[in-house]
Amino acid sequence: DAKTTQPPSMDCAEGRAANLPCNHSTISGNEYVYWYRQIHSQGPQYIIHGLKNNETNEMASLIITEDRKSSTLILPHATLRDTAVYYCIVRVNTGTASKLTFGTGTRLQVTL
Amino acid sequence: ETGVTQSPTHLIKTRGQQVTLRCSSQSGHNTVSWYQQALGQGPQFIFQYYREEENGRGNFPPRFSGLQFPNYSSELNVNALELDDSALYLCASSPGTPPWTQYFGPGTRLLVL
């Protein structure tokens, strides 16, 4: 699985959009971009994933550049409950055997 | 729909002992993956079970072993516990259909003294 690079930490004011970047310059054509988050001492929570098109769900939007070498997770209106470590992961979807390779993630702090 | 559950939530063992951790997968999911998360680190893949067979393994020694049962629940067994085994152990289940997204349980925190 390709390696990802994320900033170690970011701050965001409550109510503003949080834009979390991720570089995955060695991504292969069959690798998906996944985002998970982990609130302190809890299990990681799935947020969103995509291959090359931008994706949106009730939690967030995922913007993937045309060359697929980077992506941005957008939380449109961050709240204090969005304070967590956010992990960007690239993964081959070859079926049940594909594991998730976590890095160290970005620690997002949402403040009043 | 019931999510992934794990038991126990916390556990304290001493070095050299054995431990069994349990995971119930989300309804409709037939694949279970186990991860170890040391303090301050991201989760590390231990192994995965699909239809009761080991289906992939990370860089963990043989004293880490597992089982999956016909109802797709799973156990993680660790023998000869070491101090470095102290960690949060996470179980994730996924369906047998694309995109095989993994959904995590709350974890079991193991402390080895």
Side-chain angles (χ1 to χ4, degrees), chain A residues 34 36 38 91 96-97 100, chain B residues 35 37 48 55 99-100 102 104:
Chain A
Y34 278 79
Y36 283 79
Q38 189 171 27
R91 173 198 182 200
T96 56
L100 296 170
Chain B
Y35 293 80
Q37 185 173 23
Q48 183 182 86
N55 190 40
W100 302 285
Q102 295 186 13
F104 284 82

Side-chain angles (χ1 to χ4, degrees), chain A residues 32 34 36 38 41-46 49 87 91-104 107, chain B residues 30-31 35 37 40-45 48 50 55 88 90 95-96 99-107 109:
Chain A
Y32 285 70
Y34 278 79
Y36 283 79
Q38 189 171 27
S41 294
Q42 298 180 21
Q45 179 187 20
Y46 166 76
H49 77 278
Y87 294 100
R91 173 198 182 200
V92 176
N93 271 2
T94 54
T96 56
S98 40
K99 63 183 181 182
L100 296 170
T101 302
F102 288 80
T104 51
R107 184 171 299 277
Chain B
N30 59 12
T31 303
Y35 293 80
Q37 185 173 23
Q41 305 291 319
Q44 300 297 307
F45 175 73
Q48 183 182 86
Y50 170 64
N55 190 40
L88 180 68
L90 296 158
W100 302 285
T101 300
Q102 295 186 13
Y103 296 89
F104 284 82
R109 185 161 297 281

Side-chain angles (χ1 to χ4, degrees), chain A residues 20-94:
Chain A
L20 291 91
C22 179
N23 286 319
H24 30 78
S25 57
T26 59
I27 192 170
S28 301
N30 61 349
E31 288 183 310
Y32 285 70
V33 179
Y34 278 79
W35 284 84
Y36 283 79
R37 72 180 182 184
Q38 189 171 27
I39 297 169
H40 182 64
S41 294
Q42 298 180 21
Q45 179 187 20
Y46 166 76
I47 301 173
I48 199 167
H49 77 278
L51 182 62
K52 46 187 173 181
N53 297 324
N54 297 337
E55 302 287 345
T56 295
N57 63 20
E58 65 280 2
M59 288 184 68
S61 295
L62 174 60
I63 309 298
I64 303 174
T65 58
E66 194 168 339
D67 63 7
R68 303 208 324 121
K69 292 186 177 182
S70 65
S71 60
T72 301
L73 178 74
I74 301 172
L75 308 178
H77 305 286
T79 72
L80 297 178
R81 288 177 295 180
D82 293 321
T83 293
V85 177
Y86 287 77
Y87 294 100
C88 169
I89 299 164
V90 291
R91 173 198 182 200
V92 176
N93 271 2
T94 54

Side-chain angles (χ1 to χ4, degrees), chain B residues 16-60:
Chain B
Q17 286 189 309
Q18 178 266 342
V19 69
T20 297
L21 310 181
R22 294 177 175 83
C23 171
S24 291
S25 58
Q26 187 169 317
S27 177
H29 289 185
N30 59 12
T31 303
V32 173
S33 304
W34 286 92
Y35 293 80
Q36 179 197 66
Q37 185 173 23
L39 204 60
Q41 305 291 319
Q44 300 297 307
F45 175 73
I46 303 175
F47 45 55
Q48 183 182 86
Y49 278 82
Y50 170 64
R51 293 187 175 179
E52 304 178 57
E53 298 284 333
E54 189 178 290
N55 190 40
R57 189 178 184 94
N59 189 26
F60 281 81

Side-chain angles (χ1 to χ4, degrees), chain B residues 7-8 11 13 17-23 34 65 67 69 74-79 81 108 110:
Chain B
S7 63
L11 202 53
K13 292 285 189 178
Q17 286 189 309
Q18 178 266 342
V19 69
T20 297
L21 310 181
R22 294 177 175 83
C23 171
W34 286 92
S65 63
L67 282 174
F69 301 99
S74 177
E75 286 182 355
L76 165 65
N77 299 290
V78 186
N79 293 322
L81 283 166
T108 294
L110 172 66

